[in-house]
Amino acid sequence: RSDLILLLFDGYKLDISDEFKGAIQSLRGHEDKVRIVLNKCDQISQQQLMRVYGALMWSLGKVIPTPEVNRVYLGSFWPKYKTPVGTVYEDNLDLLASEQRDLLRDLRSIPKNAAVRRVNEIVKRARQARVHAHIIGHLRSELPSMFGKNKKAKAMLDDLPAEFKKIQVKYNLPPGDFPHPDAFKEDLQAFKIADFNKFSQRLVANADDALSSDFPRLMQLFPTNGRPSGDYGLPDDGRGDSSPDETGTPASSRFGGHPSEKSASRLNTPIAPTVPYPPPYSALAASASTSRNPFGDDTDANPGILRFRTLFDSICEPKRKMVSADSARNVLSESGLPTELLREVWNIADWDTRGELDQVQFEVAMRICERLKGKEPLDAARSQVFSELGLTNRFYS
């Protein structure tokens, strides 16, 4: 039932125990869901990382018997309450940042991939049901009308592969949709072929129409993969989205500014991410209680606690848990700050240029406005807020 399966390895501990090997082998048939994560790669030099990667692929080749090469993501994922130990090699940081973006993009595509997989399963079942109907209809039509039905049925079951070949040629059916002859024979022996209903051409025609028209039309409703990285909540590396929102306001000018000027600057000058990219689970880590603390749960005195959760829940979309640009503009404008300053706050908080804010981004915007009202400089306010919420990532520092 899982949509994605992550297998984690440490860069300096690649051995696969018998228990882990058994768990991996139990995933047979679901290899397309498996992703490999090689963790703590920042503690390995570039030369060592090349050797470790090769050793990991060799070890996995003996455990996962698939012709395709498994996707391996490199990274260094540390929990918020822990600091990295050992030596941190900076020669791999750019590579690890790209790998982390790819992994998060893969995770964010789970809903779409899960829906596509369900449609594929329905298509598979429809094809098998069509073949099953042709098999039963053919076997029933071959029975004599009066005497010798049981004898003829036994003869056909004993030579079931030949009957499958006749059906395949007659109806032009793919051989991969046919069941295994031995298993099908064992199941069919519990029934009398003469008791089955007659073959219904109308029902099979409905299945053919669904396979040729309905399911392809359903697949066209899914979004394509040609989306900017900002749609996935990832740094856009200066290639942000300037599409208008539901009000017709371009994403680059939610709080003013001419969109053509910003688009021109993006085309002419590559812009590096100006905001550190947050860890993927920063929202959970900041809002959940630290049960690992022997002195009790977090209190509101902890700077990592999301203090504007109640306000966020009151204005966000209930299902998507996102605050639209209009709702955010109304709330942020109540701070009384100048529009030019609010425009800068929006650019900081909307680091993925989606034109809407999630819970952590909304917290960032509200805290920065709070500090700006106290006459604190914008850069200092931004650094302090990102530090409090644990959003400073060494890959983007």
Side-chain angles (χ1 to χ4, degrees):
R1 294 179 181 274
S2 300
D3 295 318
L4 197 68
I5 303 170
L6 296 178
L7 302 180
L8 273 75
F9 292 87
D10 281 352
Y12 47 82
K13 187 180 179 183
L14 297 179
D15 58 308
I16 302 177
S17 63
D18 293 339
E19 293 83 359
F20 196 17
K21 181 179 179 180
I24 295 175
Q25 291 176 343
S26 67
L27 302 176
R28 286 184 178 177
H30 304 279
E31 287 83 1
D32 60 315
K33 302 179 182 179
V34 176
R35 304 290 187 272
I36 313 297
V37 178
L38 185 58
N39 194 21
K40 302 177 183 177
C41 292
D42 58 345
Q43 298 185 1
I44 304 174
S45 66
Q46 199 169 53
Q47 184 180 18
Q48 291 173 331
L49 181 59
M50 179 180 64
R51 297 172 180 171
V52 168
Y53 183 86
L56 176 62
M57 299 302 294
W58 181 81
S59 300
L60 291 174
K62 298 190 300 181
V63 181
I64 305 179
T66 57
E68 298 85 5
V69 178
N70 295 99
R71 179 63 167 97
V72 179
Y73 293 103
L74 309 179
S76 182
F77 304 95
W78 290 86
K80 180 185 174 184
Y81 61 89
K82 234 178 186 181
T83 55
V85 295
T87 305
V88 175
Y89 293 88
E90 298 184 355
D91 51 354
N92 296 325
L93 296 186
D94 292 338
L95 171 64
L96 299 185
S98 300
E99 289 288 300
Q100 177 175 318
R101 283 197 296 269
D102 291 345
L103 176 57
L104 294 181
R105 185 178 291 108
D106 203 350
L107 293 175
R108 290 180 183 272
S109 65
I110 286 178
K112 177 199 169 185
N113 294 338
V116 172
R117 186 177 292 114
R118 290 188 179 95
V119 173
N120 290 336
E121 288 295 326
I122 297 175
V123 171
K124 180 181 177 181
R125 290 173 65 89
R127 292 164 62 104
Q128 292 175 343
R130 180 184 61 178
V131 170
H132 181 81
H134 281 294
I135 293 175
I136 297 300
H138 171 79
L139 296 179
R140 190 181 187 281
S141 65
E142 293 293 316
L143 294 178
S145 57
M146 295 296 292
F147 304 104
K149 292 183 178 181
N150 293 336
K151 183 178 179 180
K152 178 61 176 179
K154 184 178 183 305
M156 289 190 295
L157 291 179
D158 291 340
D159 196 16
L160 205 53
E163 299 297 330
F164 282 3
K165 186 66 176 177
K166 294 178 184 178
I167 299 170
Q168 176 187 342
V169 173
K170 182 178 179 180
Y171 298 104
N172 193 25
L173 298 174
D177 293 343
F178 281 77
H180 193 279
D182 295 336
F184 192 80
K185 175 184 176 180
E186 183 179 353
D187 294 337
L188 200 57
Q189 285 176 342
F191 303 92
K192 289 185 178 181
I193 298 178
D195 294 340
F196 287 114
N197 294 328
K198 292 183 179 180
F199 179 78
S200 175
Q201 185 62 45
R202 180 181 59 84
L203 295 179
V204 174
N206 291 339
D208 290 337
D209 291 341
L211 290 172
S212 60
S213 301
D214 295 341
F215 288 119
R217 187 164 56 249
L218 180 62
M219 292 297 295
Q220 292 177 358
L221 299 178
F222 293 108
T224 61
N225 291 329
R227 300 170 59 188
S229 60
D231 289 349
Y232 295 98
L234 303 173
D236 61 357
D237 298 328
R239 298 183 299 272
D241 181 19
S242 59
S243 59
D245 61 6
E246 63 276 2
T247 63
T249 306
S252 59
S253 57
R254 299 284 189 245
F255 281 94
H258 197 277
S260 60
E261 297 175 356
K262 295 193 175 184
S263 301
S265 64
R266 284 175 175 172
L267 292 174
N268 298 329
T269 307
I271 303 175
T274 58
V275 179
Y277 179 64
Y281 306 109
S282 57
L284 297 177
S287 60
S289 61
T290 56
S291 57
R292 297 178 177 86
N293 193 330
F295 297 100
D297 294 338
D298 280 335
T299 64
D300 290 340
N302 186 340
I305 290 295
L306 301 181
R307 294 188 281 108
F308 296 93
R309 282 176 294 181
T310 304
L311 178 58
F312 176 85
D313 292 336
S314 65
I315 63 174
C316 72
E317 298 180 20
K319 291 185 178 180
R320 299 180 60 243
K321 291 296 182 182
M322 300 291 290
V323 172
S324 65
D326 289 337
S327 299
R329 178 172 57 231
N330 295 335
V331 174
L332 297 179
S333 298
E334 294 178 358
S335 63
L337 296 173
T339 303
E340 293 76 11
L341 205 52
L342 290 177
R343 187 184 307 127
E344 297 298 326
V345 172
W346 176 268
N347 291 334
I348 294 173
D350 187 26
W351 53 69
D352 46 22
T353 64
R354 285 181 292 185
E356 53 187 0
L357 304 179
D358 59 24
Q359 189 171 14
V360 177
Q361 293 172 320
F362 182 75
E363 183 79 17
V364 168
M366 294 300 296
R367 290 199 184 195
I368 292 179
C369 288
E370 195 176 58
R371 290 182 172 274
L372 293 178
K373 291 172 63 177
K375 306 302 181 181
E376 188 171 337
L378 178 61
D379 292 338
R382 178 182 61 183
S383 302
Q384 184 62 30
V385 169
F386 272 86
S387 176
E388 291 176 353
L389 295 176
L391 301 180
T392 304
N393 190 307
R394 60 183 177 276
F395 295 155
Y396 292 90
S397 58

